[in-house]
Amino acid sequence: MGVWVTVASRAGQPLPRGTGMALLVLTVVQVTLVPLSGFWINLLPALLLLASENPSWAAPNQSRKA
């Protein structure tokens, strides 16, 4: 998945919407089935993908007008 994200970003192509949510759901299922595993590491990329899909999450103060 990392290679896919890297190639897409270098080519200037956006990732399909829902990629972050799909990874988050998959990670939650994996952690539920095997809590003492390395699947916890997938939470960070999932949250970063979600933040990139919703720019208002990444910088909430920039969307406000003073």
Side-chain angles (χ1 to χ4, degrees):
M1 182 161 181
V3 172
W4 174 52
V5 170
T6 302
V7 169
S9 68
R10 286 183 182 168
Q13 300 172 344
L15 294 173
R17 289 193 51 82
T19 303
M21 185 57 72
L23 182 59
L24 182 63
V25 169
L26 178 64
T27 301
V28 168
V29 169
Q30 291 169 334
V31 167
T32 302
L33 294 175
V34 188
L36 298 175
S37 66
F39 292 126
W40 291 95
I41 296 172
N42 287 339
L43 286 175
L44 181 61
L47 295 174
L48 289 172
L49 283 169
L50 282 172
S52 71
E53 290 175 5
N54 299 311
S56 62
W57 290 4
N61 293 333
Q62 292 180 359
S63 63
R64 297 180 190 164
K65 292 184 179 179

